[in-house]
């Protein structure tokens, strides 16, 4: 009976930083608004500018939409908890948050793999690019990414929440991730670790393998180009995507593919905040700074709104 009395989970991820929580609220709110603004700007520009109606920018638009939804699942609740005395979430709310976190996070990984395939076709088969990367194939790749995320969320979330939980239900995190929720379950056994490993292998290693295969084909093709200028031009088409992949997989692999840890540390909080808040902000910045077409379209939009008389 005592096990079922407590129906809320309590977040204690920032409890060691109690004196800095108001400052963190201001910083995270600013980063969140920047993330929403930049991703919205990219989606709008790609939608409006006809020159950007290509497969690469279609995937970028979907990526920005995914990043926006991902932050909506976690960041608003985290901001509220930073200024609230009781940092709680209901059992159902926690399950819903984990479900959409898994859905969007796993879809994101497979979407990056689809974008890697797009870059592989662009570099290795430039003349046949338009005939291969049709609208139908692009839509199918996006749908497959979403279905992969849906499969993971649909299987993992019920498995995590089917166990009885401790009465305290204190989560050493700032959102309902798998590992902290499993730590407050009574049945902590190999099955819980197997869930995390299976999730990590499917959602991270499978798309990472596909990405590596795409870039191996790209590397082999680029090395056959005789001129240094030609090789640089070929690699430059992939630089923004490669930078986003490195940021995503560095953070995600540290969190989900390392050996289990029994306690929450400041390092865990830093990496989780980076993965949750900074990565969705860095992705549009990387694509904006590394892509001349996106920068030109953004400058054109700024001139039309007369915010800036000139844009470089």
């Amino acid at each position: 009976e005592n096990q079922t009395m407590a129906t809320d989970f309590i977040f204690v991820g920032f409890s060691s930083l109690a004196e800095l929580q108001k400052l963190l609220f201001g910083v995270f709110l600013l980063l969140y608004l920047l993330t929403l603004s930049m991703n919205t700007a990219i989606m709008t520009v790609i939608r409006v500018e006809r020159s950007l109606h290509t497969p690469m920018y279609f995937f970028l638009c979907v990526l920005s939409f995914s990043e926006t939804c991902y932050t909506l699942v976690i960041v608003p609740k985290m901001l509220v908890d930073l200024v609230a005395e009781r940092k709680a979430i209901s059992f159902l709310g926690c399950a819903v948050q984990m479900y959409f976190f898994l859905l969007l996070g796993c879809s994101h990984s497979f979407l990056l793999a689809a974008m890697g395939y797009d870059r592989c076709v662009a570099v290795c088969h430039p003349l046949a690019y338009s005939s291969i990367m049709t609208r139908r194939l692009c839509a199918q790749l996006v749908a497959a990414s979403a279905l992969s995320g849906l499969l993971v969320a649909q299987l993992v979330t019920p498995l995590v929440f089917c166990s009885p939980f401790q009465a305290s239900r204190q989560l050493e995190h700032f959102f309902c991730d798998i590992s902290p929720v499993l730590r407050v379950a009574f049945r902590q056994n190999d099955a819980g670790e197997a869930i995390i490993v299976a999730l990590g292998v499917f959602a991270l290693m499978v798309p990472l393998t596909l990405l590596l295969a795409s870039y191996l084909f790209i590397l082999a093709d680029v090395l056959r180009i005789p001129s240094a200028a030609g090789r640089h031009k070929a690699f430059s088409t992939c630089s923004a995507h490669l930078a986003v992949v490195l940021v995503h997989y560095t953070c995600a692999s540290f969190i989900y593919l390392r050996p289990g840890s029994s306690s929450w540390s400041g390092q865990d909080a830093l990496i989780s905040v980076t993965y949750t808040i900074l990565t969705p902000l860095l992705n549009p910045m990387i694509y904006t700074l590394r892509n001349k077409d996106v920068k030109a379209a953004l400058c054109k939009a700024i001139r039309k709104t007369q915010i800036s008389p000139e844009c470089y």
Side-chain angles (χ1 to χ4, degrees), residues 144-166:
S145 301
L147 288 175
S148 300
L150 182 65
L151 176 66
V152 171
Q154 196 71 31
L155 292 176
V156 173
T157 307
L159 289 174
V160 172
F161 285 92
C162 69
S163 301
F165 292 94
Q166 301 171 15

Side-chain angles (χ1 to χ4, degrees), residues 34-277:
L34 285 174
T35 300
L36 292 180
S37 301
M38 294 194 68
N39 280 295
T40 301
I42 286 181
M43 287 187 288
T44 302
V45 166
I46 292 175
R47 177 71 177 174
V48 172
E49 188 61 38
R50 288 187 174 274
S51 63
L52 301 182
H53 291 181
T54 63
M56 183 178 76
Y57 296 111
F58 168 73
F59 288 122
L60 177 56
C61 186
V62 176
L63 181 69
S64 294
F65 177 76
S66 174
E67 297 282 16
T68 302
C69 295
Y70 177 84
T71 56
L72 285 171
V73 171
I74 298 173
V75 180
K77 173 60 179 171
M78 183 190 70
L79 291 173
V80 171
D81 288 339
L82 282 172
V83 295
E85 292 187 8
R86 188 171 184 268
K87 311 175 192 307
I89 187 172
S90 67
F91 182 89
L92 179 60
C94 189
V96 170
Q97 187 183 58
M98 181 183 290
Y99 181 89
F100 284 102
F101 164 72
L102 293 174
L103 169 62
L104 294 166
C106 297
S107 299
H108 183 87
S109 296
F110 282 93
L111 182 60
L112 289 177
M115 296 174 74
Y117 174 73
D118 171 72
R119 293 298 83 207
C120 179
V121 174
V123 173
C124 300
H125 306 284
L127 298 180
Y129 178 74
S130 298
S131 60
I132 295 175
M133 298 303 299
T134 61
R135 288 187 177 183
R136 181 178 180 181
L137 178 60
C138 293
Q140 289 174 341
L141 289 173
V142 171
S145 301
L147 288 175
S148 300
L150 182 65
L151 176 66
V152 171
Q154 196 71 31
L155 292 176
V156 173
T157 307
L159 289 174
V160 172
F161 285 92
C162 69
S163 301
F165 292 94
Q166 301 171 15
S168 63
R169 296 190 181 186
Q170 291 189 351
L171 302 182
E172 294 181 332
H173 214 305
F174 52 86
F175 71 95
C176 292
D177 204 352
I178 296 176
S179 182
V181 173
L182 285 177
R183 286 191 193 125
V184 298
F186 275 102
R187 291 200 298 258
Q188 291 190 18
N189 50 32
D190 293 338
E193 292 294 328
I195 292 174
I196 298 176
V197 172
L199 172 67
V201 170
F202 182 75
L204 292 176
M205 297 308 297
V206 172
L208 180 59
T209 302
L210 297 174
L211 280 165
L212 289 174
S214 295
Y215 275 100
L216 283 175
F217 281 111
I218 291 173
L219 181 62
D221 194 81
V222 168
L223 291 178
R224 289 197 291 265
I225 299 176
S227 65
R231 289 193 295 269
H232 180 268
K233 182 179 180 181
F235 270 126
S236 65
T237 63
C238 309
S239 59
H241 176 257
L242 188 57
V244 169
V245 168
L246 289 175
V247 171
H248 173 76
Y249 278 97
T250 299
C251 297
S253 299
F254 181 87
I255 296 172
Y256 297 107
L257 297 183
R258 62 175 179 154
S261 176
S262 59
S263 60
W264 174 263
S265 66
Q267 190 179 39
D268 294 323
L270 178 62
I271 297 297
S272 294
V273 168
T274 301
Y275 187 69
T276 306
I277 300 178

